[in-house]
Amino acid sequence: MVLEMLNPMHYNITSMVPEAVPLATMPILLLTGFLLFIWNYEDTSSIPGPGYCMGIGPLISHCRFLWMGIGSACNYYNKMYGEFMRVWICGEETLIISKSSSMFHVMKHNHYISRFGSKLGLQFVGMHENGIIFNNNPALWKVVRPFFIKALTGPGLVHMVTICAESVGRHLDRLEEVKNASGFVDVLTLMRRVMLDASNMLFLRIPLDENAIVVKIQGYFDAWQALLFKPDIFFKISWLYKKYEKSVKDLKDAIDVLTEEKRHRISTADKLEDCMDFATELIFAEKRGDLTRENVNQCILEMLIAAPDTMSVSVLFLLFLIAEHPKVEEAIMKEIQTVVGERDIRIDDIQKLKVVENAIYESMRYQPVVDLVMRKALQDDVIDGYPVKKGTNIILNIGRMHRLEFFPKPNEFTLENFAKNVPYRYFQPFGFGPRSCVGKYIAMVMMKVILVTLLKRFHVQTLQSQEACIEKMQKTNDLAVHPNENTNLLNMIFIPRNSDTGLEP
């Protein structure tokens, strides 16, 4: 029996090889080919960037954004791979651009008006297809934008000069409220209160608790920043997002209460013209069926948080830089005395304050607060020779571009950088084009009014510490650049000026 089994006539082992080998190796060959395809995935893109590496590349790049913060990660990747490069965020291909010609192309075209971010994260904070800041539905964004434009330009911009000057004056009269035991001024809290008060007086006009709302705005911003790029699985684990849920709810509930009070006042007003403002226009649109109640409340929330959220930090950085550069302060004070004198600032002074304007611009260039812009391609395109597919995410690293191109002394804070007219393609603190910052004009008006009104009354000094300077200040660069607020080094000394000379006593 054994001999029969070994007999070639019954058991021809050589005849089995051609049949057995292909069956055994086929799965291995297919798997090897698939892995080689994935491994070489990055070869399909001509844009510089980290490799795909079997999906490890996208995972690492996303984790880097979560770990380092959006702004810091963008600077890291541009420095590593160049001014036009590609990574992945939430598994989606994302371009990071710090090249002026490419930025100009993106900003000016209508097919880049959408933004991007975690859908669940934006839903969590109420921004998904609501409001204006991160509304990534172009059709819905176009519906609300006119309400913001009307409120932030024309008569609203003119009225803001008086409203803002009066608010600064009231808060400076109550400066003790934001001083610590040593007499140092908490400038960031002061600016946040001023800007919330001015925004409320122009856009909503309902009495509110400034201190409480300012704290809630900080919590809301922290949640928005933290959740923007979180993966979907994060929102399935309640203990991970619970603290952010409370922060968002606290502010939204407060705004809902204020908005309901506004609705009540409109319904009981004898003359509707006495109630007309940004919030009233939105509420009327809701009654017409043009906007949902949720969208109206979100628009009002965003209008109230915009200035306290970012502009207050911009003014803080500017005051620190002025304190560190006495010649800049001297030039500003000379212009204030020439243009404004002893009276209050007026709307016709705004365009004449060129030194003040250049100081603000140079501060925003040298130490920006919002130094990136996020967009999404709505159609296939080519940017500076690189193919860009529809749906590609884009981050414009404006802060880095401002340090790389055009300016004669890019790494110094000096008014020389704006001694000559700067082509707008090289300086974009507010962006431009169809989705530029809708509040850019009123923001400049508010910063000029605040700076003039404050510096007419006080000379500002930083604390006598090597760390109390803008360059050594601890900051995080995520969705925006913010200083570490867990320190007293952000406080400043306000020294009253001689009312006749505008100089220190």
Side-chain angles (χ1 to χ4, degrees):
M1 184 68 176
V2 175
L3 291 175
E4 287 180 353
M5 292 176 62
L6 294 176
N7 191 320
M9 293 296 293
H10 296 278
Y11 194 85
N12 189 346
I13 194 166
T14 58
S15 66
M16 294 180 62
V17 173
E19 298 177 4
V21 171
L23 292 175
T25 58
M26 188 62 70
I28 298 174
L29 291 174
L30 289 173
L31 179 60
T32 302
F34 178 70
L35 292 175
L36 287 173
F37 171 77
I38 294 178
W39 185 272
N40 292 290
Y41 176 82
E42 65 269 21
D43 293 339
T44 63
S45 175
S46 60
I47 303 173
Y52 191 80
C53 298
M54 296 186 294
I56 298 175
L59 180 62
I60 291 176
S61 65
H62 189 186
C63 289
R64 187 176 295 280
F65 275 85
L66 296 176
W67 166 51
M68 295 182 68
I70 303 171
S72 295
C74 286
N75 289 332
Y76 169 85
Y77 279 118
N78 277 141
K79 185 177 180 181
M80 181 73 68
Y81 294 100
E83 311 314 322
F84 195 116
M85 58 83 58
R86 181 262 302 126
V87 292
W88 295 268
I89 298 176
C90 298
E92 298 177 348
E93 189 167 79
T94 302
L95 304 179
I96 305 176
I97 301 171
S98 53
K99 185 179 178 183
S100 63
S101 58
S102 303
M103 289 190 186
F104 186 84
H105 179 96
V106 171
M107 288 184 182
K108 74 177 182 179
H109 285 109
N110 281 314
H111 51 272
Y112 292 104
I113 61 173
S114 182
R115 294 199 171 184
F116 73 95
S118 163
K119 179 180 177 180
L120 294 179
L122 292 174
Q123 286 176 337
F124 201 95
V125 297
M127 291 184 173
H128 178 66
E129 300 189 346
N130 284 316
I132 192 173
I133 298 176
F134 255 83
N135 190 331
N136 52 15
N137 183 319
L140 295 176
W141 168 78
K142 289 178 180 178
V143 172
V144 301
R145 186 173 171 86
F147 293 96
F148 284 85
I149 292 175
K150 182 178 180 180
L152 295 166
T153 57
L157 187 147
V158 174
H159 293 156
M160 179 55 87
V161 175
T162 302
I163 289 172
C164 191
E166 291 176 351
S167 180
V168 175
R170 287 195 303 272
H171 285 82
L172 290 179
D173 289 341
R174 308 195 313 264
L175 204 56
E176 295 299 323
E177 295 178 8
V178 290
K179 283 185 177 180
N180 63 14
S182 301
F184 302 146
V185 178
D186 181 350
V187 179
L188 199 48
T189 296
L190 172 65
M191 289 299 109
R192 284 169 171 160
R193 291 183 181 183
V194 166
M195 292 178 187
L196 176 61
D197 178 47
S199 298
N200 179 45
M201 292 300 294
L202 185 60
F203 305 126
L204 182 60
R205 295 190 291 172
I206 298 295
L208 51 76
D209 184 338
E210 283 178 17
N211 188 44
I213 297 294
V214 161
V215 172
K216 289 178 171 64
I217 289 174
Q218 291 175 255
Y220 181 89
F221 178 82
D222 290 342
W224 167 26
Q225 180 172 253
L227 300 175
L228 186 60
F229 285 164
K230 286 290 190 291
D232 289 354
I233 193 173
F234 178 89
F235 300 95
K236 298 183 184 299
I237 307 172
S238 61
W239 62 268
L240 286 177
Y241 63 74
K242 192 170 183 180
K243 67 174 181 177
Y244 301 117
E245 185 176 43
K246 183 181 185 305
S247 297
V248 171
K249 187 177 185 301
D250 284 348
L251 181 63
K252 289 176 75 69
D253 286 350
I255 299 300
D256 288 351
V257 169
L258 295 173
T259 307
E260 285 307 309
E261 175 61 22
K262 183 69 173 181
R263 289 188 173 95
H264 173 71
R265 293 193 179 194
I266 293 172
S267 66
T268 58
D270 293 330
K271 296 181 180 179
L272 282 178
E273 56 265 27
D274 295 337
C275 298
M276 294 308 299
D277 51 31
F278 173 73
T280 303
E281 296 276 6
L282 290 172
I283 291 169
F284 283 170
E286 177 194 335
K287 291 182 177 180
R288 294 193 303 267
D290 297 337
L291 296 174
T292 66
R293 178 174 290 248
E294 181 184 11
N295 203 355
V296 168
N297 289 10
Q298 183 65 28
C299 287
I300 293 172
L301 181 151
E302 292 182 12
M303 185 66 99
L304 292 182
I305 73 170
D309 173 37
T310 55
M311 206 194 313
S312 57
V313 182
S314 294
V315 174
L316 171 74
F317 288 161
L318 174 58
L319 291 175
F320 263 74
L321 288 166
I322 288 173
E324 294 169 23
H325 297 82
K327 290 185 178 180
V328 173
E329 182 186 23
E330 183 180 342
I332 290 173
M333 291 308 302
K334 183 178 179 180
E335 181 178 71
I336 290 174
Q337 287 296 315
T338 302
V339 175
V340 181
E342 296 305 312
R343 60 173 171 78
D344 292 336
I345 187 171
R346 299 190 303 236
I347 183 63
D348 54 320
D349 298 327
I350 298 298
Q351 293 298 320
K352 301 174 186 176
L353 294 167
K354 295 300 182 182
V355 176
V356 173
E357 181 175 286
N358 289 345
I360 294 171
Y361 280 157
E362 176 63 354
S363 175
M364 296 174 75
R365 183 203 68 82
Y366 182 75
Q367 182 51 79
V369 176
V370 180
D371 62 349
L372 53 87
V373 171
M374 299 166 63
R375 301 287 176 86
K376 181 182 284 288
L378 298 177
Q379 66 184 49
D380 292 347
D381 197 8
V382 176
I383 304 176
D384 279 350
Y386 291 109
V388 178
K389 295 180 181 178
K390 177 181 178 180
T392 300
N393 299 329
I394 298 173
I395 300 178
L396 304 179
N397 193 352
I398 297 173
R400 180 174 171 84
M401 186 266 285
H402 288 163
R403 292 284 189 119
L404 294 177
E405 301 186 34
F406 184 81
F407 295 98
K409 297 181 179 180
N411 296 316
E412 296 181 29
F413 175 80
T414 172
L415 298 184
E416 293 177 31
N417 284 322
F418 285 88
K420 298 179 180 179
N421 288 333
V422 179
Y424 66 90
R425 70 181 297 165
Y426 296 114
F427 182 62
Q428 288 298 331
F430 301 104
F432 81 99
R435 191 145 189 177
S436 61
C437 174
V438 72
K440 57 187 175 183
Y441 299 115
I442 205 167
M444 285 300 297
V445 166
M446 290 180 72
M447 285 191 282
K448 285 183 178 182
V449 171
I450 290 170
L451 195 63
V452 168
T453 307
L454 193 156
L455 291 182
K456 282 181 64 178
R457 291 181 58 172
F458 294 97
H459 165 69
V460 294
Q461 288 184 350
T462 57
L463 303 185
Q464 297 301 313
S465 170
Q466 291 184 349
E467 295 181 2
C469 66
I470 203 76
E471 291 79 10
K472 295 184 179 180
M473 184 185 294
Q474 293 183 9
K475 299 179 283 286
T476 58
N477 189 359
D478 200 349
L479 185 60
V481 179
H482 274 69
N484 177 10
E485 298 184 38
N486 298 319
T487 173
N488 290 326
L489 296 178
L490 296 184
N491 295 336
M492 300 188 77
I493 302 169
F494 281 20
I495 303 174
R497 295 183 187 271
N498 183 308
S499 60
D500 295 326
T501 64
L503 300 175
E504 293 179 59

